[in-house]
Amino acid sequence: MPALFVQAWMARDADALAALFAPDADFVNVVGLWWHDRDAIRRAHAYGLRGMFSASTLRVGRVKRRDLGGVCVLHARMHLDGQTAPDGSEAGPRQTVMSFVMARQGDGTWLCVSAHNTDIVPGAESHVNDGADLKPADYRD
């Protein structure tokens, strides 16, 4: 799944990306936007791949798989470069951890039923709302 996700991303093919998901799949992105079906996942990624991610590169790092019978959970570290910032400049690189819950279909293929993408924030343990914004926070001495 992570390799196919990256392949569709790099081809800027939102249809191929959405085809990896069950019709009623859920996807939560790094800022908590929650899409509730394959078509919403396709539309959201088509928008991003045309705009802020049109010049980006995405690659898979470490992957861990846990089999649970006809279901498995995949965690994949993802590396993103070349995102376009709102002012048109190139944003710095980001790393995320993506979680995919996969379900084996009757024909033996696998579809993602739930995905969640989380930004890795170096040096932080949580976020704190300061009344105006969420800011990374580290409670360690």
Side-chain angles (χ1 to χ4, degrees):
M1 173 65 180
L4 293 173
F5 187 93
V6 166
Q7 181 179 346
W9 181 283
M10 294 303 298
R12 308 299 186 256
D13 189 342
D15 292 331
L17 189 147
L20 302 171
F21 291 85
D24 60 347
D26 289 288
F27 191 113
V28 179
N29 82 350
V30 296
V31 296
L33 294 177
W34 186 0
W35 303 303
H36 299 283
D37 60 40
R38 180 188 286 158
D39 191 53
I41 294 166
R42 185 198 59 72
R43 284 192 317 269
H45 283 88
Y47 165 78
L49 292 169
R50 277 192 317 268
M52 68 189 94
F53 300 116
S54 63
S56 68
T57 57
L58 185 66
R59 65 181 174 82
V60 180
R62 178 176 177 230
V63 176
K64 182 178 178 186
R65 177 181 171 147
R66 177 172 292 199
D67 288 308
L68 304 167
V71 175
C72 76
V73 177
L74 296 168
H75 290 96
R77 186 167 299 234
M78 304 294 246
H79 303 270
L80 176 73
D81 291 292
Q83 178 178 349
T84 302
D87 67 4
S89 66
E90 184 176 322
R94 291 174 37 209
Q95 290 187 54
T96 69
V97 175
M98 286 195 72
S99 301
F100 300 99
V101 179
M102 306 295 295
R104 185 177 296 132
Q105 306 303 295
D107 63 1
T109 61
W110 291 85
L111 288 177
C112 185
V113 297
S114 180
H116 191 126
N117 198 8
T118 303
D119 270 316
I120 296 169
V121 183
E125 295 179 296
S126 185
H127 287 101
V128 173
N129 186 338
D130 68 2
D133 234 339
L134 283 177
K135 304 226 187 272
D138 186 351
Y139 292 83
R140 296 169 285 200
D141 291 334

